[in-house]
Amino acid sequence: MLDSYRHKGLRKKLVETIRAKGIIDENVLNAIEKVPRHWFMDSSFLEFAYEDRAFPISAGQTISQPYTVAVMTELLQIRKNDKVLEIGTGSGYQACILSAMGAKVYTIERQKSLHEKAKIFLPSIGYSTIKQFYGDGYKGLPTYGPFDKIIVTCGAPHIPTALIEQLKIGGIMVIPVGEGGTQVMQTVERITDTNIEIKNHGYFRFVPMLEDRNEK
Ligand code: SAH
């Protein structure tokens, strides 16, 4: 796949835009500079790949806005070798950002067509260590947990209990919570076996987190 000097230049600019909006974690900014976002979009949208906005992918879904990806990734406080569960593989862009930061990534997608596309695409661009699953993110991946970090990339009506249970003590989950058009970005830190601490981090817009798998 092509990654020209022009694309690299546009990516540098995008990183400066995101930095100006308040992102300070250099590891996050480096990953955004490294991963060619235009590879994750349909060719007709190439020119939009480095604008700071969300974009439609297939199956009525979207690739999140780069700033939103940056905020969520920064809130996760990623350290090398962290075991991270992502709900909502979509294009696979967020999973690659986490992998580029040295995380061990597990990602679940409920839309079969998106899962099948990413399953072939991510290894083809060098991200073969990302483990991809077709399933319902509300259930998480009980046999692979617990995880250091969990990131939910769709708007959840509530915080799924199964996901809290799959978080290590001291682990962090970032999840946009709310039904309808707007969600509040929340971090859930698992303090002890029975205690969690929830914090709010502003308002964002996500496609909804839906129950069960979709066979199409
Ligand atoms: N992280 C993606 C963003 C995709 S948008 C990226 O970087 O491109 C959110 C995705 O969550 C959609 O693909 C949607 O199909 C998926 N999704 C919604 N509900 C889900 C669920 N219960 N389990 C797994 N994935 C879900």
Side-chain angles (χ1 to χ4, degrees):
M1 288 217 127
L2 181 70
D3 188 29
S4 69
Y5 281 111
R6 184 171 154 260
H7 291 128
K8 290 192 174 87
L10 289 171
R11 226 151 46 238
K12 266 202 159 63
K13 271 197 192 147
L14 174 63
V15 165
E16 290 322 311
T17 304
I18 291 171
R19 195 196 295 277
K21 290 183 179 175
I23 300 299
I24 55 172
D25 185 335
E26 289 297 329
N27 293 328
V28 173
L29 295 167
N30 285 341
I32 288 172
E33 186 159 347
K34 185 175 167 198
V35 181
R37 188 172 186 258
H38 67 279
W39 289 355
F40 298 80
M41 294 165 64
D42 295 341
S43 55
S44 51
F45 298 137
L46 271 190
E47 59 196 281
F48 300 120
Y50 296 110
E51 286 178 16
D52 188 21
R53 54 175 169 139
F55 234 84
I57 53 174
S58 45
Q61 301 304 322
T62 59
I63 178 170
S64 304
Q65 182 181 351
Y67 171 69
T68 305
V69 171
V71 167
M72 295 179 87
T73 311
E74 183 168 72
L75 287 170
L76 281 179
Q77 301 176 33
I78 294 295
R79 275 177 280 177
K80 209 170 185 310
N81 293 322
D82 268 356
K83 197 168 152 187
V84 182
L85 173 64
E86 178 194 32
I87 311 303
T89 313
S91 69
Y93 177 70
Q94 172 77 68
C96 289
I97 291 288
L98 293 164
S99 181
M101 294 174 73
K104 294 185 198 130
V105 183
Y106 297 71
T107 183
I108 314 177
E109 174 56 55
R110 73 176 282 280
Q111 293 265 12
K112 195 161 202 181
S113 60
L114 289 174
H115 166 72
E116 282 174 352
K117 194 171 170 193
K119 187 105 187 153
I120 295 166
F121 178 59
L122 299 193
S124 81
I125 58 165
Y127 289 89
S128 51
T129 57
I130 296 172
K131 294 188 176 61
Q132 300 189 50
F133 301 83
Y134 167 55
D136 178 5
Y138 277 98
K139 301 186 177 75
L141 288 176
T143 52
Y144 294 86
F147 298 92
D148 297 294
K149 310 284 162 64
I150 298 177
I151 176 171
V152 179
T153 68
C154 33
H158 58 87
I159 301 169
T161 316
L163 297 185
I164 297 173
E165 282 165 0
Q166 289 167 41
L167 202 54
K168 286 186 191 171
I169 306 291
I172 300 170
M173 165 158 53
V174 56
I175 178 168
V177 182
E179 277 169 296
T182 310
Q183 286 76 35
V184 57
M185 190 66 73
Q186 296 194 316
T187 47
V188 180
E189 191 173 344
R190 191 160 190 194
I191 310 291
T192 65
D193 233 4
T194 51
N195 269 313
I196 56 169
E197 188 178 291
I198 299 177
K199 287 183 186 156
N200 295 339
H201 305 272
Y203 292 92
F204 294 81
R205 300 173 72 85
F206 282 84
V207 297
M209 183 172 185
L210 302 170
E211 299 266 4
D212 299 325
R213 301 192 296 184
N214 182 339
E215 298 300 330
K216 274 177 265 149

